[in-house]
Amino acid sequence: MIANTIDQEIKQAMLAKDQARLRGLRAIKAALLLAKTEKGSSEEITEEAELKILQRLIKQRKESADIYKQQGREDLSTIEEEEIEVISNFMPKQLDRAEVEAVISQIIKDSGANSVKEMGKIMGLANRELAGKADGKLIAEIVKTQLA
């Protein structure tokens, strides 16, 4: 589980006085604690749920960094990008576009889908198959082009 690793990493970052890494690690720890204590959640968080939390953290920081860049705040944008880098270290290896296309074309072939009307069904299957390994926007873009 990621939670155990995070605690060790936080200690190491504190000893190394690595503020950027420490910020990212604390953000992960806070998100995991929040998910644990949410209403209706079980005591332990599954690995799949951890990946979803990490993806959400990365997405939030990417959006913030883009906004900061548009507003000319490179200092704040840099902070967000540093945190993205730290959080990304706990994600599985991201697949490149060609690999994602291959997986999605196999999913489409196996399901027998042949029109854009079945995009929702394919998206569900693709998101389950590629959880944590590819960005949702990329998956949607590829599914749409392959079904068109």
Side-chain angles (χ1 to χ4, degrees):
M1 292 299 213
I2 294 174
N4 299 334
T5 310
I6 295 294
D7 290 334
Q8 297 300 320
E9 295 280 333
I10 286 175
K11 289 176 189 173
Q12 291 174 359
M14 288 174 129
L15 290 172
K17 297 187 185 331
D18 186 350
Q19 295 302 316
R21 184 160 180 73
L22 193 55
R23 270 194 316 273
L25 293 169
R26 284 181 172 160
I28 296 170
K29 184 172 182 171
L32 292 174
L33 284 172
L34 188 65
K36 260 188 199 176
T37 58
E38 275 181 348
K39 194 173 188 178
S41 68
S42 61
E43 188 64 31
E44 283 298 314
I45 300 173
T46 64
E47 192 172 332
E48 185 178 316
E50 286 179 338
L51 288 176
K52 285 183 181 179
I53 290 169
L54 293 178
Q55 282 179 316
R56 187 178 65 229
L57 291 173
I58 290 172
K59 182 180 178 186
Q60 288 171 343
R61 277 154 184 77
K62 282 182 181 177
E63 290 171 355
S64 296
D66 290 342
I67 291 170
Y68 290 142
K69 282 181 183 175
Q70 289 171 1
Q71 296 175 347
R73 295 294 310 265
E74 291 298 323
D75 55 329
L76 296 175
S77 174
T78 304
I79 290 172
E80 297 295 332
E81 289 167 357
E82 288 171 347
E83 289 181 18
I84 289 170
E85 190 176 318
V86 171
I87 296 167
S88 296
N89 291 335
F90 293 95
M91 295 288 292
K93 179 188 168 287
Q94 296 291 298
L95 300 176
D96 65 17
R97 187 178 182 91
E99 292 170 319
V100 174
E101 286 174 350
V103 171
I104 291 174
S105 62
Q106 185 63 43
I107 291 170
I108 291 171
K109 186 175 143 190
D110 292 346
S111 69
N114 55 11
S115 72
V116 179
K117 292 179 183 176
E118 298 176 272
M119 184 170 172
K121 178 175 116 178
I122 301 301
M123 282 298 297
L125 294 170
N127 282 329
R128 254 185 256 116
E129 179 82 21
L130 298 168
K133 298 176 187 172
D135 183 49
K137 286 182 182 178
L138 177 64
I139 294 170
E141 177 187 322
I142 293 171
V143 168
K144 193 172 187 177
T145 55
Q146 289 191 6
L147 288 176

